[in-house]
Amino acid sequence: VASLDTLSMRKGPPASGWRQPELPEVIAMLNYRLDPVRSNAAAYLQHLTFKNDKVKSDVRRLKGIPALVSMLDNPNREVHFAACGALKNISFGKDADNKIAIKNCDGVPALIRLLRKTRDQDLTEIITGTLWNLSSQDSVKMEIVDNALHALCDEVMVPHSGWERATNGAGGGEENGKPRTPEWDTALTNTAGCLRNVSSERIEARRKLRECSGLVDSLMYIVQSQINCKELNSKLTENCVCLLRNLSYHVHKEIPNYEAYDESKQANSNPAPSSQRAGCFSSRKGKGRKDEEAPQERISIPPRTAPAKGYELLFQPEVVRLYTSLLKESGNAIVLEASAGAIQNLCAGKWTHGRYIRALMREEKGLVVVSELLDNSNDRVVRAMSGAIRNLAIDPQNRKLLAKYAVPYLVADLPGGGQNQPVKALKEETVVSILSTLHEVLGTDVEAAKTLRASQGIERLVLTYKDNNRSEREVRGAGLVLQSVWAHKELRRTLEKDGWRKTDFMVNLNSPKPVDNRLNGRHDDSTLPLIDKGWGDVKLSFMVSLYVHIKNTNNAYSTLDQRGRKNTLDKTLDAADQDSVQVDADPMGTRIHNVA
């Protein structure tokens, strides 16, 4: 403080000593002619704004933000280093006005100019951390996409991921370089977190991210490296997998030339016999449980004429092993949720690669893995696995296997268990998702209905339907599944012997027409539960009453990173780091629990 400006700090005779400067004085010093005064003033602001929302607002009100942004172009390292640190603190938190103020005075382009000039690792971490904070504000996201995307890829993701060295930038060559340097993991984590946020904004943002040279290649390389190094629970892994999940959202509709993959008009899109099988999965048998039945038919994947690169990597067969590895080995609930969400996205829609991935999940023994994760205690993990199963069950062979493996877990997640069957405290959206998945898996398969009965699913469905404390969506979902069970005529006598009556199953859903149990081969995107999909007019009244606000339920079921739409930084630093107010801005993270 003494070095700020001795004249402004002194009051009274020399013996009176020093005083702390007032905030307006400190902000005035940001425009002082001497660089040491400016850098110390910015450093002092960084100290004052740490975990102090009032001071952050006061700095904005006193026009301190434009002065800090202008200092980013100063050639003096100490000046722009201190200014960037102050902006990182000011941009942290829920106050959107601070973030918007930084944007409005061209803070994002200024940060990017500094990022392109510096080779300092510490400064790169502060710049990317500031951009991560800014990316949590919706009105700033496209500003980052338009002005920061290519610099973040060119200066951080590509050079420090290890992908470029390992492949000579070709996206598929022999690994002959060194892996990424761990000391850059913080900058990579910050950058992936920033891009994770902006990727949930709109179609245009996702398009630009997918087509940004080297981004998807680097993300895939980082995640595979993290798997190889057993770092599956890290924040870097979490941000990269969530970003990949977001980029796979509506990929079957949004990639260039998507019509070439569209099978919706083809008469027959069933898997080809094994004699036609070729491609990168042609000879390998996936390791899995001995009790999982080997399918009689295998999917035929045409061989690639050139190595896949860029956005094509999002839906190549190799991603099946990537995501199943994460599902098997990660203990991070967000990584599990994002991995299942990516599978759900890729299996959505009637397109060529969705069919491939549904079949490869079966061949790679991934159906059991996803089914067992329904036993997870985390609500969002259960919902994600349910959504993935719902789309995986579009494949007839998958549906038969999921009837065996998934139905008992789905039933166990339903409300209505007794003393020996404790009930999970699952949210309404999750229960409705489970009911939708049960309806899809049951389909016309009587064996699935038998498994549901043996798992005491009838009791839970009836209790849910008759529970006055359940929402209308849950009640109607349970009633629809009960109708599906009764539709299996060969099972009715057994059900009657169990003491059930027809009236327990033929419940009133206020539907004007009989309920059809199948989708007639139609399936839409991954963001809506099966109950919301194209069932036609026969279920219109049910759909309207069960999901009145489809746009709102998008947030609940979307496999975009909706939980991260407001991501900034969370409290993940150790106590020692949190006390270091002049060294670090607030700790980095993405676990924000408000859903837009």
Side-chain angles (χ1 to χ4, degrees):
V1 173
S3 64
L4 288 175
D5 189 341
T6 57
L7 293 177
S8 64
M9 295 298 99
R10 188 182 297 274
K11 276 191 175 182
S16 64
W18 303 99
R19 67 175 178 84
Q20 288 190 349
E22 300 293 333
L23 186 60
E25 293 177 296
V26 178
I27 292 175
M29 291 173 195
L30 296 175
N31 297 308
Y32 201 77
R33 65 184 181 276
L34 297 179
D35 283 346
V37 174
R38 301 179 72 191
S39 63
N40 283 336
Y44 190 53
L45 281 179
Q46 181 180 3
H47 168 78
L48 292 176
T49 55
F50 181 71
K51 293 186 176 180
N52 192 323
D53 291 338
K54 182 181 184 304
V55 175
K56 295 175 189 179
S57 298
D58 288 343
V59 171
R60 183 189 74 247
R61 179 176 52 83
L62 295 170
K63 309 301 182 184
I65 289 177
L68 289 169
V69 170
S70 68
M71 292 167 64
L72 297 177
D73 289 316
N74 190 295
N76 186 306
R77 178 185 182 276
E78 297 301 325
V79 172
H80 57 236
F81 202 102
C84 193
L87 288 170
K88 181 181 178 183
N89 274 2
I90 292 170
S91 63
F92 170 76
K94 297 180 180 180
D95 191 337
D97 292 336
N98 294 338
K99 299 176 175 65
I100 293 171
I102 294 173
K103 173 203 170 186
N104 289 344
C105 59
D106 294 329
V108 172
L111 287 164
I112 291 307
R113 288 194 297 272
L114 184 57
L115 178 65
R116 288 196 180 277
K117 287 188 295 186
T118 187
R119 294 297 176 264
D120 187 294
Q121 177 189 333
D122 293 333
L123 184 56
T124 300
E125 290 178 5
I126 297 176
I127 294 170
T128 54
T130 306
L131 289 168
W132 188 2
N133 285 347
L134 294 172
S135 70
S136 68
Q137 176 59 32
D138 287 348
S139 61
V140 185
K141 288 181 179 180
M142 286 309 296
E143 175 84 0
I144 292 174
V145 171
D146 293 335
N147 294 289
L149 172 58
H150 290 285
L152 289 171
C153 290
D154 296 343
E155 305 298 331
V156 182
M157 293 302 297
V158 172
H160 300 298
S161 66
W163 161 72
E164 197 173 38
R165 291 189 299 274
T167 63
N168 289 323
E174 295 295 327
E175 292 191 9
N176 54 13
K178 297 179 180 179
R180 73 171 197 284
T181 50
E183 59 266 24
W184 283 92
D185 277 7
T186 299
L188 287 167
T189 301
N190 296 349
T191 302
C194 173
L195 297 179
R196 168 186 174 182
N197 280 349
V198 302
S199 66
S200 67
E201 173 61 7
R202 61 183 71 167
I203 293 175
E204 182 66 11
R206 291 193 297 275
R207 182 187 67 79
K208 290 185 175 182
L209 264 68
R210 290 188 192 112
E211 297 179 5
C212 184
S213 178
L215 174 58
V216 177
D217 310 72
S218 299
L219 289 170
M220 291 289 185
Y221 189 87
I222 290 172
V223 174
Q224 188 60 64
S225 298
Q226 295 290 90
I227 292 173
N228 295 342
C229 298
K230 304 299 182 183
E231 295 288 341
L232 289 88
N233 301 323
S234 69
K235 188 65 69 174
L236 175 59
T237 303
E238 175 187 315
N239 283 345
C240 288
V241 177
C242 287
L243 177 51
L244 288 171
R245 181 265 307 277
N246 287 357
L247 295 180
S248 68
Y249 174 84
H250 277 187
V251 68
H252 64 290
K253 297 180 180 179
E254 297 177 359
I255 58 173
N257 195 31
Y258 71 90
E259 297 91 348
Y261 303 110
D262 189 0
E263 294 183 334
S264 59
K265 297 181 180 179
Q266 296 180 17
N268 183 11
S269 61
N270 290 329
S274 59
S275 60
Q276 299 178 15
R277 181 174 171 77
C280 60
F281 273 57
S282 58
S283 60
R284 182 182 182 272
K285 274 194 174 181
K287 295 180 180 179
R289 300 175 179 272
K290 295 180 180 179
D291 59 345
E292 185 165 343
E293 301 166 5
Q296 296 180 353
E297 295 183 358
R298 298 179 65 115
I299 192 72
S300 175
I301 302 177
R304 289 195 292 257
T305 57
K309 60 182 179 180
Y311 67 83
E312 295 175 342
L313 294 172
L314 292 170
F315 48 83
Q316 293 305 308
E318 290 85 348
V319 300
V320 171
R321 292 179 190 158
L322 191 80
Y323 293 131
T324 53
S325 294
L326 292 168
L327 291 172
K328 289 177 182 176
E329 300 177 33
S330 179
N332 183 326
I334 302 177
V335 171
L336 295 175
E337 178 191 351
S339 300
I343 292 170
Q344 179 182 357
N345 280 346
L346 294 173
C347 292
K350 199 163 187 178
W351 70 309
T352 304
H353 288 278
R355 176 164 55 89
Y356 293 162
I357 289 171
R358 284 190 288 268
L360 289 170
M361 279 292 291
R362 176 178 70 250
E363 295 179 11
E364 288 294 304
K365 315 302 180 186
L367 302 183
V368 172
V369 177
V370 178
S371 298
E372 290 180 346
L373 281 168
L374 289 166
D375 195 36
N376 195 280
S377 59
N378 185 286
D379 176 90
R380 297 188 67 95
V381 171
V382 173
R383 193 187 315 167
M385 299 306 149
S386 173
I389 290 171
R390 191 163 57 240
N391 282 356
L392 287 166
I394 293 170
D395 183 296
Q397 294 185 63
N398 285 356
R399 195 181 309 122
K400 289 184 178 296
L401 291 171
L402 290 168
K404 175 180 178 182
Y405 296 115
V407 168
Y409 289 105
L410 290 166
V411 169
D413 286 329
L414 288 174
Q419 293 182 348
N420 297 327
Q421 297 176 310
V423 179
K424 295 181 182 179
L426 298 178
K427 295 181 180 179
E428 175 192 359
E429 292 85 355
T430 305
V431 173
V432 174
S433 175
I434 291 167
L435 292 167
S436 298
T437 303
L438 276 172
H439 185 273
E440 173 68 11
V441 174
L442 260 62
T444 57
D445 186 0
V446 68
E447 294 301 320
K450 290 179 180 178
T451 303
L452 182 137
R453 168 185 168 270
S455 305
Q456 297 184 324
I458 307 297
E459 290 87 340
R460 294 204 179 204
L461 289 167
V462 171
L463 286 171
T464 301
Y465 179 77
K466 295 182 178 180
D467 190 346
N468 293 329
N469 294 321
R470 291 287 155 188
S471 70
E472 184 179 2
R473 296 192 299 165
E474 292 171 299
V475 169
R476 290 177 176 273
L480 183 62
V481 179
L482 286 169
Q483 287 190 355
S484 300
V485 173
W486 189 255
H488 297 288
K489 295 180 180 180
E490 58 268 59
L491 196 59
R492 291 177 182 175
R493 185 174 296 275
T494 303
L495 294 172
E496 289 171 345
K497 288 182 179 180
D498 291 339
W500 300 109
R501 297 173 296 176
K502 179 179 179 180
T503 53
D504 293 320
F505 299 92
M506 300 308 293
V507 294
N508 180 20
L509 297 178
N510 297 322
S511 180
K513 297 181 182 179
V515 176
D516 179 10
N517 283 319
R518 295 298 307 138
L519 280 171
N520 297 323
R522 291 188 293 169
H523 43 276
D524 194 10
D525 58 57
S526 62
T527 62
L528 298 177
L530 201 64
I531 291 174
D532 275 342
K533 295 181 183 178
W535 287 11
D537 294 336
V538 296
K539 297 196 180 88
L540 181 59
S541 65
F542 174 70
M543 291 167 59
V544 171
S545 58
L546 189 58
Y547 290 95
V548 176
H549 304 293
I550 289 182
K551 288 186 178 180
N552 291 336
T553 59
N554 260 350
N555 290 329
Y557 283 91
S558 175
T559 55
L560 271 173
D561 196 13
Q562 298 294 345
R563 73 179 300 165
R565 288 181 63 85
K566 303 298 181 185
N567 289 345
T568 52
L569 311 170
D570 68 357
K571 300 176 181 179
T572 55
L573 279 188
D574 294 333
D577 292 328
Q578 291 178 355
D579 293 336
S580 184
V581 295
Q582 290 184 324
V583 177
D584 251 340
D586 298 73
M588 304 298 297
T590 61
R591 298 194 62 183
I592 301 298
H593 297 282
N594 54 325
V595 178

